[in-house]
Amino acid sequence: MKKIALFSLTLLLIGALVGCKDGIKAVIKEKEPEVVRDYAVNSDNIVMNKSGNTIYIANIDVNTVTVVDSQTKKVKAEIRVGKSPVQLTLSPDEDILYVSCRYDDKIDIISIEKEKVVESIDVGIEPYGVVTSQDGKKLYVANYRSSTISIIDVTNKKVESEMKVDDRPRTLAMTADGHKLYVPHYLEAKVSVINTETEEISKVISLADSPNNNDRKKSQGVPNTLEQFVIDPDGKKAWIPHLLTNIDTPVHFQETIFPAVSVIDLTTDEELIDERKELFEEINVTDKKNDTIITSNPYDVVFHPNGSKAYVVMSGSEDLVVFDLNRGGNATQILRRIEGNNPRGAVISQDGESIYVHNVMSHDLAEISSGGEGPYARAKMKGENLALISKDSLSPLVREGKTIFYSANSEEFPTEITGNNWISCTSCHADGEINGRTLMTSKGPRDVPSNVLTTKTGLFMWDGSRDDFNDYLLTVQGEMGGMMELDPSKPLPKEVEHMYDAMFAYLDDPNSFPIPKSPYRNKDGSLTVTAAEGKELFEGKAACITCHAGTQFTDSVKAVDKNGYLTTSNIDFLHDIDTTNPLDKASKGDARAGFTNGRDTRHFDVPTLRGVWATAPYFHDGSAKTIEEVIKRIQYEGKPELTESEIFKLAEYVRSIK
């Protein structure tokens, strides 16, 4: 009996071992091999999977991601995500889609199989660019306001480290070997190069200024608003679409803002200055009248898979510029116009035959036939645009205003918003806010102000010379070259007034330009001890609250008439704090106000301090680089003497105001 039992037990053990062994084999067989990406990637608002059959699009102000089948040209899914999804990237195995939700300060993780958000990761303030390492084990996130790069362990979904980088890191790009991460800085025209092995900045590339040109209507100026960083198919170069801003001549639509694409040598991490693409030089395609076709606001780049051509999306003028890289690298065609509003992103099919363009204002996908790789191929629109969203989150009026604000299309509206497609509102008010530049005007140098709270902080302009948003007709005419047929002394035609009503509605919408969260506060949002002490000084000894008062931290809202309406005639709240510039010029007023709004060179409007930490440089002429410098330079009767310690505390509080 014992022998039989022992024999049975032995059989059971053998069976168990065999079964276990078979189970192990099954597990090994089912386990997918690790996918390591072997090509360069960049973060974008639109991405395509490797096989080219699926496209993913971040609907920036609708808070969804759309999945499109590129073969059937149909929407497969629209997935709800966090607030303001701006860029996205696929994991190397293409099982996961990572989405940066800018105003929720998090990364949403979408399961491709489940077509829904399965997890979220908290990161820094206003995440923007997002890419994974080539093996997919790490996720890199550019935090726009925090000026940091979050490095995330994908396995446990935790931020393992934060790298401090220069101001306003925007998008991201990873080399094919995974050794270098490129981080463009939006306004500073710099690119940080991060060694992914040491997690240190190995170099910072500064884009060169384009030298002054005797002809003011030719490209020149300071580079800024770096929108993308796209590596070419052979991995040797990268293209950066951006603007050039001419800051030392009077602002004029043909002489101030120019489109450009800079080229970086990725072997040396140096800019190839001679290869920069500029209007009237490398971008010089003429029309039937032999005039150069003007394009504006370059935003994204895609390369033909064999590297023969580059296609640059011009978001303002709504064009596609084709560069032939086998014939000198100059532009050979401008496809005027891309159907839809405000194209900002593009992907290209594996065979290079189809370019898919994301229009962020009309929320649709345009398809363009590239015409092939031949030297005489011509790109052209193909079929109808595909609607990407089921419902717009914005009201029709706000959407219209936002579309106008970002447009430089001189043919789309009842009257030209700009002369000959040159510039849009966002050409100076980058991302709707500032461009960090001071422009020369007829009244002297003027720092470009932010549009955050612009409809709620009293008079308009640095000298408080406007009290009605319709008065921006003067800006459109004098600086943008649009609406030139209108008499500024007369009421606006109804259809033009509607354009201003729409733009005002967009600027007035609290979701349009949220007040930037301050990285100078504690993680829980409270004031630091130093800032709290600065607040006491602000409201007490320093008496800053005298002018920077109320909920908007400005007394400009008090510049009203007897009926409570804003008026440029009330100059009691323009202040002389000894910041006049030798180049400032007095004004006799303008036709919109019947020349009753004349201004001297000493008195200026008080700007809001909400989110002011993100608006450097300071003063009307942009002459102060820091808050500390502002506090030291302001002069007025009765100004108290402040110690260096008090100045620091006061500045720390001002940087924390939200």
Side-chain angles (χ1 to χ4, degrees):
M1 183 70 73
K2 288 183 179 179
K3 287 183 179 180
I4 293 172
L6 184 60
F7 179 72
S8 299
L9 181 60
T10 303
L11 287 175
L12 286 171
L13 287 171
I14 292 171
L17 288 171
V18 170
C20 182
K21 192 172 182 181
D22 289 341
I24 292 170
K25 283 182 179 178
V27 170
I28 293 172
K29 186 176 181 180
E30 289 174 7
K31 185 179 180 182
E32 294 291 335
E34 184 178 276
V35 176
V36 178
R37 193 167 45 215
D38 60 358
Y39 52 92
V41 293
N42 60 277
S43 182
D44 208 338
N45 55 71
I46 177 172
V47 296
M48 177 183 278
N49 65 359
K50 190 174 182 180
S51 66
N53 61 16
T54 308
I55 302 171
Y56 305 90
I57 300 129
N59 301 313
I60 62 170
D61 53 15
V62 179
N63 304 338
T64 63
V65 167
T66 299
V67 184
V68 173
D69 185 320
S70 63
Q71 309 303 308
T72 63
K73 310 297 188 296
K74 292 182 178 179
V75 171
K76 294 173 61 179
E78 185 180 358
I79 304 167
R80 177 65 55 181
V81 295
K83 193 172 183 181
S84 189
V86 282
Q87 292 199 337
L88 31 72
T89 195
L90 281 164
S91 60
D93 60 14
E94 300 188 341
D95 287 341
I96 296 294
L97 184 71
Y98 298 98
V99 186
S100 55
C101 302
R102 183 175 183 180
Y103 295 134
D104 274 343
D105 302 336
K106 68 179 183 179
I107 302 298
D108 274 352
I109 301 174
I110 293 176
S111 164
I112 299 299
E113 180 184 6
K114 297 178 180 179
E115 294 184 343
K116 68 176 184 178
V117 174
V118 292
E119 285 187 88
S120 297
I121 305 172
D122 293 329
V123 287
I125 302 173
E126 293 189 24
Y128 210 97
V130 54
V131 295
T132 70
S133 57
Q134 297 300 71
D135 61 9
K137 294 180 180 179
K138 291 183 179 180
L139 182 70
Y140 301 90
V141 180
N143 300 305
Y144 187 71
R145 298 294 185 189
S146 302
S147 295
T148 59
I149 303 297
S150 294
I151 303 175
I152 298 167
D153 184 323
V154 168
T155 302
N156 59 28
K157 311 296 187 300
K158 299 290 185 183
V159 176
E160 63 178 24
S161 61
E162 294 272 357
M163 283 189 64
K164 190 68 180 174
V165 293
D166 282 336
D167 188 47
R168 288 176 170 86
R170 187 80 161 183
T171 189
L172 295 173
M174 178 75 69
T175 55
D177 61 14
H179 294 163
K180 290 191 288 188
L181 178 71
Y182 289 91
V183 185
H185 299 279
Y186 189 53
L187 298 185
E188 291 186 333
K190 295 179 180 179
V191 180
S192 292
V193 186
I194 294 177
N195 182 320
T196 57
E197 294 180 351
T198 62
E199 295 185 356
E200 295 178 345
I201 297 172
S202 59
K203 190 171 187 176
V204 176
I205 307 166
S206 294
L207 298 188
D209 294 351
S210 282
N212 284 339
N213 196 311
N214 290 332
D215 185 346
R216 290 181 180 175
K217 292 177 174 56
K218 295 295 177 70
S219 289
Q220 56 192 299
V222 179
N224 63 342
T225 61
L226 278 56
E227 299 292 359
Q228 266 298 354
F229 191 99
V230 183
I231 299 172
D232 67 11
D234 67 10
K236 294 180 180 179
K237 296 178 182 178
W239 284 31
I240 307 173
H242 62 87
L243 296 178
L244 295 170
T245 303
N246 190 6
I247 59 176
D248 54 9
T249 60
V251 59
H252 184 270
F253 73 105
Q254 293 177 305
E255 302 175 359
T256 303
I257 305 291
F258 301 91
V261 181
S262 289
V263 181
I264 306 296
D265 184 330
L266 300 187
T267 59
T268 61
D269 286 331
E270 298 283 348
E271 181 185 1
L272 298 171
I273 297 174
D274 291 341
E275 293 191 24
R276 179 178 287 177
K277 317 301 178 188
E278 296 185 355
L279 192 62
F280 299 108
E281 295 294 336
E282 295 78 9
I283 308 174
N284 194 23
V285 179
T286 56
D287 59 17
K288 293 179 181 179
K289 297 179 181 178
N290 206 33
D291 294 328
T292 296
I293 299 174
I294 306 302
T295 61
S296 53
N297 302 100
Y299 209 99
D300 202 4
V301 182
V302 291
F303 293 95
H304 192 283
N306 66 14
S308 62
K309 291 186 178 181
Y311 306 88
V312 177
V313 173
M314 298 288 179
S315 65
S317 56
E318 301 179 341
D319 305 318
L320 185 75
V321 182
V322 184
F323 295 86
D324 193 324
L325 305 185
N326 289 335
R327 295 196 296 164
N330 291 354
T332 55
Q333 181 196 357
I334 294 176
L335 174 62
R336 179 147 256 180
R337 319 270 187 191
I338 299 171
E339 292 294 329
N341 294 324
N342 200 217
R344 291 197 202 174
V347 291
I348 191 166
S349 60
Q350 283 184 315
D351 58 10
E353 294 294 325
S354 292
I355 302 164
Y356 300 93
V357 179
H358 176 208
N359 293 305
V360 302
M361 292 303 151
S362 51
H363 288 294
D364 53 34
L365 188 69
E367 184 178 0
I368 299 171
S369 170
S370 71
E373 60 184 282
Y376 303 106
R378 305 290 291 175
K380 61 182 180 180
M381 292 301 304
K382 182 179 178 182
E384 298 291 324
N385 286 11
L386 175 67
L388 296 174
I389 62 172
S390 56
K391 183 181 179 181
D392 196 346
S393 60
L394 305 185
S395 71
L397 189 65
V398 171
R399 173 62 67 196
E400 183 180 353
K402 188 171 186 178
T403 300
I404 295 171
F405 187 90
Y406 283 94
S407 178
N409 186 331
S410 294
E411 300 172 349
E412 187 171 355
F413 308 106
T415 182
E416 291 185 345
I417 189 66
T418 181
N420 194 19
N421 309 284
W422 270 91
I423 62 175
S424 62
C425 300
T426 193
S427 296
C428 293
H429 296 282
D431 215 16
E433 298 180 16
I434 67 169
N435 65 358
R437 302 291 179 258
T438 299
L439 304 180
M440 185 58 66
T441 74
S442 60
K443 295 180 181 180
R446 292 293 183 267
D447 175 46
V448 175
S450 172
N451 280 310
V452 172
L453 297 173
T454 190
T455 63
K456 297 176 173 64
T457 52
L459 297 173
F460 301 108
M461 309 296 284
W462 276 106
D463 60 4
S465 59
R466 295 179 190 169
D467 52 23
D468 187 331
F469 187 73
N470 288 3
D471 295 342
Y472 277 93
L473 168 68
L474 298 168
T475 298
V476 173
Q477 289 183 328
E479 299 177 11
M480 298 176 68
M483 304 185 178
M484 298 301 291
E485 77 279 10
L486 302 178
D487 184 340
S489 67
K490 295 180 179 179
L492 297 176
K494 188 171 294 186
E495 66 274 12
V496 177
E497 186 170 11
H498 176 79
M499 291 174 65
Y500 283 97
D501 289 345
M503 283 192 284
F504 184 89
Y506 166 56
L507 295 173
D508 194 52
D509 189 318
N511 294 314
S512 295
F513 305 111
I515 299 165
K517 295 178 184 177
S518 175
Y520 297 94
R521 287 177 170 256
N522 292 320
K523 290 221 179 237
D524 63 1
S526 63
L527 294 176
T528 64
V529 172
T530 303
E533 293 175 355
K535 185 175 186 290
E536 291 183 13
L537 289 165
F538 185 93
E539 297 173 352
K541 178 180 178 179
C544 307
I545 200 170
T546 304
C547 297
H548 293 285
T551 57
Q552 306 302 349
F553 288 82
T554 173
D555 62 1
S556 183
V557 294
K558 299 177 183 178
V560 297
D561 59 20
K562 61 182 181 181
N563 297 315
Y565 294 107
L566 277 176
T567 175
T568 56
S569 299
N570 186 343
I571 61 174
D572 292 343
F573 301 96
L574 300 180
H575 301 280
D576 179 4
I577 54 172
D578 198 27
T579 59
T580 187
N581 187 297
L583 297 175
D584 287 334
K585 296 179 181 179
S587 165
K588 294 181 180 180
D590 56 63
R592 291 288 297 170
F595 297 96
T596 61
N597 57 339
R599 294 293 186 259
D600 62 21
T601 62
R602 303 197 63 84
H603 291 80
F604 294 97
D605 191 48
V606 175
T608 179
L609 295 184
R610 297 184 69 184
V612 73
W613 71 270
T615 64
Y618 304 106
F619 291 148
H620 75 282
D621 60 353
S623 60
K625 306 305 178 188
T626 65
I627 299 292
E628 283 87 349
E629 185 180 352
V630 169
I631 297 169
K632 291 176 181 179
R633 282 183 50 192
I634 287 175
Q635 295 298 326
Y636 56 89
E637 186 176 348
K639 179 185 176 181
E641 289 293 329
L642 298 172
T643 66
E644 286 294 326
S645 175
E646 288 174 327
I647 291 171
F648 176 75
K649 291 175 181 178
L650 195 53
E652 196 71 0
Y653 170 61
V654 172
R655 281 189 284 264
S656 303
I657 294 174
K658 63 178 182 179

